[in-house]
Amino acid sequence: MDVEKIWFEYRARIKAFLHSRVSNVADVEDLLQEISIKTFVGISALDDPSKVQSWLFQTAHRTIIDFYRKNGSAKDMHADDLWYSEDEPETRHELERCVEPFIAALPSETAQLLTAIDIEGQSQKDYAAAHGLPYSTLKTRVKNGRRALRSVFDNCCRFTLDSRGNLSEYHSKSDSCENC
């Protein structure tokens, strides 16, 4: 496996994952660096190349837990108690292939916005500055864009959530979703 190619392919998504769970931008950068080191050192032990994505995101998840424990933010806390508890990995992996086509089905301005922020990991403040938008306006557009994306998913599938609000399973509403 070409570690550099794998890291290049997943870096932005891992960064977006970190941003969704860690509020401090400097901490996100530190964690991303730590995960890159773990990737370059540990990925050779992975036997099945089809599990690279799962391995990377599990590594990121454990790194976040370690970060909170080390910094005292999670004293006496178990990984299962964290507010961002993981969805079922297989279910999430199956739905990930739909994200980009569904984003592409949105109006182009919304698609560009969500791609930059949620797929490529660009911060909302940086995106707002680069496009000359007030930050509060951008936050509203991101919220509305995500709501529109959720609507596209809801039109395609019926979702079941567990008691914590995490995705546990889904069923397609028809034999073929338009864009997935």
Side-chain angles (χ1 to χ4, degrees), residues 7-162:
W7 184 247
F8 179 77
E9 181 180 345
Y10 287 99
R11 183 187 181 283
R13 291 184 6 201
I14 291 171
K15 186 173 183 179
F17 178 77
L18 292 170
H19 274 293
S20 72
R21 286 155 174 81
V22 178
S23 60
N24 185 314
V25 175
D27 289 337
V28 167
E29 291 299 326
D30 290 344
L31 290 171
L32 188 63
Q33 181 66 29
E34 187 175 335
I35 293 165
S36 72
I37 292 168
K38 289 179 179 180
T39 300
F40 280 84
V41 170
I43 202 154
S44 60
L46 185 64
D47 295 329
D48 186 355
S50 69
K51 296 184 179 180
V52 167
Q53 180 174 315
S54 296
W55 183 87
L56 284 169
F57 282 92
Q58 287 172 357
T59 300
H61 179 69
R62 286 190 303 270
T63 303
I64 293 168
I65 292 170
D66 293 344
F67 165 77
Y68 281 118
R69 285 184 179 149
K70 182 174 75 177
N71 291 313
S73 301
K75 288 182 180 166
D76 302 323
M77 185 177 285
H78 187 271
D80 293 338
D81 297 330
L82 294 174
W83 64 268
Y84 60 81
S85 180
E86 286 283 310
D87 298 327
E88 291 294 321
E90 297 82 26
T91 304
R92 177 182 292 268
H93 181 68
E94 290 171 11
L95 288 172
E96 281 181 348
R97 65 183 169 82
C98 299
V99 173
E100 290 185 39
F102 283 179
I103 286 176
L106 298 172
S108 66
E109 185 177 311
T110 303
Q112 290 171 351
L113 171 84
L114 292 180
T115 299
I117 292 170
D118 291 334
I119 303 295
E120 296 170 359
Q122 184 176 12
S123 76
Q124 290 184 18
K125 286 185 180 180
D126 290 345
Y127 188 91
H131 290 84
L133 295 169
Y135 180 55
S136 60
T137 300
L138 179 73
K139 286 176 30 177
T140 301
R141 289 183 183 177
V142 169
K143 182 178 178 181
N144 291 338
R146 289 175 179 164
R147 188 177 300 135
L149 180 60
R150 173 64 191 255
S151 178
V152 173
F153 269 96
D154 286 340
N155 288 335
C156 179
C157 299
R158 185 176 8 267
F159 299 98
T160 303
L161 305 177
D162 65 15

